[in-house]
Amino acid sequence: MNSARPAIRARGLSRRFGNLLAVDRVDLTVPRAHVYGFLGPNGSGKSTTIRMLCGLLTPSEGEIEVLGMRVPEQAEQLRQRIGYMTQKFSLFEDLTVRENLEFLAAVQGIPAREAKKRVDELIGQYHFADRQRQLAGTLSGGQKQRLALAGAVIHRPELLFLDEPTSAVDPESRRDFWEKLFD
């Protein structure tokens, strides 16, 4: 892997939904080992751009390369190397904290013995030891946020995409989130 290559490169990236031009010819280069953020009002195309960079949404025009892989052509292989945390916390509310992490480990293809070890590690790291059997749907907003982050990093991704990860939580949970992320 060439460390001089950028983590993300997009050229002329556009996305239309019918007559609506949601993303208009974005050029973007993000170096490796950097934190990069999109700022803008609701409806300005931030989430749409992130979804295209993750390979979840096909661009109407333009070229994308993430971690040296062409998107959308290599999107399936890319998903094994990236983590993505949506602004809506994609958790299964009728599963426990532990079951959510075990399920996500299985989806990522982590072998059972390694998955158990990784789930145990994340439960400790994200302070869920006393809540691992609690249904995710009964957690507070900050707890759901921490669980969603743990799920996004369960497979130790090379690159992590966060889509407004702190938009719906209190200031203390927001601070805790950023501390956990940078740990």
Side-chain angles (χ1 to χ4, degrees):
M1 183 177 343
N2 183 353
S3 62
R5 284 179 108 163
I8 300 170
R9 187 186 68 75
R11 295 290 174 258
L13 189 59
S14 297
R15 176 60 195 208
R16 290 187 173 282
F17 295 97
N19 291 331
L20 173 70
L21 182 59
V23 176
D24 187 13
R25 297 181 307 245
V26 169
D27 290 335
L28 173 69
T29 302
V30 179
R32 290 177 185 267
H34 280 72
V35 174
Y36 190 91
F38 292 134
L39 300 175
N42 289 343
S44 63
K46 300 180 302 291
S47 295
T48 300
T49 300
I50 290 170
R51 291 181 66 217
M52 286 189 289
L53 295 173
C54 290
L56 299 171
L57 188 62
T58 302
S60 301
E61 298 174 31
E63 298 177 2
I64 304 171
E65 188 177 285
V66 177
L67 299 176
M69 304 180 106
R70 293 194 44 82
V71 178
E73 297 87 351
Q74 295 178 292
E76 202 56 45
Q77 299 98 303
L78 177 66
R79 286 189 198 109
Q80 297 167 4
R81 297 176 59 193
I82 64 172
Y84 175 48
M85 182 176 159
T86 67
Q87 61 193 36
K88 299 283 190 228
F89 308 146
S90 53
L91 302 172
F92 295 93
E93 297 208 343
D94 57 341
L95 295 180
T96 66
V97 167
R98 175 170 285 280
E99 289 168 340
N100 264 278
L101 293 174
E102 289 170 344
F103 175 75
L104 293 169
V107 167
Q108 289 295 340
I110 300 172
R113 181 173 286 146
E114 184 183 332
K116 182 185 180 336
K117 183 178 174 186
R118 181 66 172 149
V119 167
D120 288 343
E121 177 184 313
L122 290 170
I123 283 176
Q125 183 180 351
Y126 288 85
H127 308 293
F128 283 117
D130 60 336
R131 297 187 184 276
Q132 61 185 306
R133 298 202 187 330
Q134 185 174 338
L135 292 177
T138 65
L139 298 172
S140 71
Q143 292 164 339
K144 286 179 181 179
Q145 176 193 53
R146 281 189 325 211
L147 180 55
L149 178 59
V153 300
I154 196 156
H155 61 298
R156 294 184 171 90
E158 296 172 52
L159 179 62
L160 182 61
F161 288 92
L162 305 171
D163 190 354
E164 297 191 40
T166 62
S167 64
V169 296
D170 62 271
E172 186 177 335
S173 295
R174 185 174 294 128
R175 184 174 45 255
D176 182 55
F177 172 83
W178 289 112
E179 286 174 7
K180 285 279 174 262
L181 184 63
F182 286 104
D183 282 348

